[in-house]
Amino acid sequence: MIRSFVDGWADWMTAMAWQAGLLIVSAVALDAIVLRRIHPRLRSVVWSLVALKLVLPPGLASPLRAPKPAVQGVASSAAVPHGVDWGALACAVWLAGMTVLAAVAWRRNRAWRRSLQQATSPAPDAVRRLLREVCATLGLRRVPTLRLGAGLRSAAVVGLARPVILLPDERNSDADLHHVLLHEVAHIKRRDLWAEAAFALLHLVYWFHPLVAIARRRAHAAREVCCDLTVARALGSSTAYRETLLEHARRMLQGPRPAGAAAGFL
């Protein structure tokens, strides 16, 4: 059974490595040449298809092959491997790397959640009323939890089943606050946190493949553009919103920002 798993894993990963690599390179080229001139949602669809490819089998066969029947006599003894079993070694390295990365991510997530609980406080009533208005504007029925975070450089949304919007505890203008809440609620409405979590899991499985990391970053950038497009359409004008984005970028350069769904599953 173990031999069958190792052989099936080797066939799966070998095929997926070059197929996914070729698809990602093609998607990057298509994104740079064509998609930037077309609707941003199409870019997000392309990267979603890349993620789907990383889940589907490379061919019609299952990733786990049925064990081969034993052959008696000389053929059976010849099938016993000699020396280093490179397939088993590669599979062990893959499992070890995935386990270590998952453990590190879990510890960071848990530590971040503890610090979040200690460093946040409930938002004022006026801000919560504005959040309810923003949710009504974007058609989000369930109003997410809103917290103020000490030391946050910019706003963020974390959590999958129960999203939490985090705002810096510093005072912002009403217009800027309106734009920030629209942006974060748009992420929730579009289910971007679920997409980010899915890409994070795929990146964990394909941690050895550098092009998967590129695909994850490109998909994240495409989602941000689509989110900004949703906000601009809700506002009817994007001039003031662009100024808010520039201010947000300036704060991002001054310090870390929670990494959305990958940062905390609340």
Side-chain angles (χ1 to χ4, degrees), residues 54-194:
L54 293 173
V55 176
L56 295 178
L60 297 179
S62 168
L64 292 181
R65 300 187 302 189
K68 296 180 180 179
V71 180
Q72 301 295 328
V74 179
S76 177
S77 60
V80 178
H82 297 282
V84 179
D85 189 340
W86 295 107
L89 180 61
C91 185
V93 170
W94 170 74
L95 286 172
M98 190 169 58
T99 302
V100 170
L101 292 175
V104 170
W106 181 80
R107 291 189 61 182
R108 287 180 178 175
N109 178 70
R110 188 169 181 177
W112 190 83
R113 289 179 61 181
R114 285 199 300 265
S115 64
L116 178 64
Q117 293 172 354
Q118 298 172 358
T120 59
S121 58
D125 292 338
V127 181
R128 290 203 296 267
R129 284 196 299 270
L130 180 58
L131 175 61
R132 287 194 291 269
E133 294 175 3
V134 167
C135 291
T137 299
L138 294 180
L140 186 67
R141 296 182 179 179
R142 183 178 178 180
V143 179
T145 303
L146 184 62
R147 305 280 293 180
L148 298 181
L152 288 178
R153 297 292 184 179
S154 61
V157 57
V158 296
L160 295 178
R162 292 175 295 174
V164 177
I165 295 178
L166 304 175
L167 294 177
D169 55 2
E170 62 185 24
R171 176 64 180 171
N172 292 314
S173 66
D174 292 340
D176 289 346
L177 186 59
H178 185 218
H179 294 161
V180 167
L181 290 177
L182 277 170
H183 183 91
E184 304 305 335
V185 171
H187 276 309
I188 300 174
K189 176 68 175 179
R190 288 174 32 82
R191 296 180 175 84
D192 286 339
L193 276 73
W194 289 94

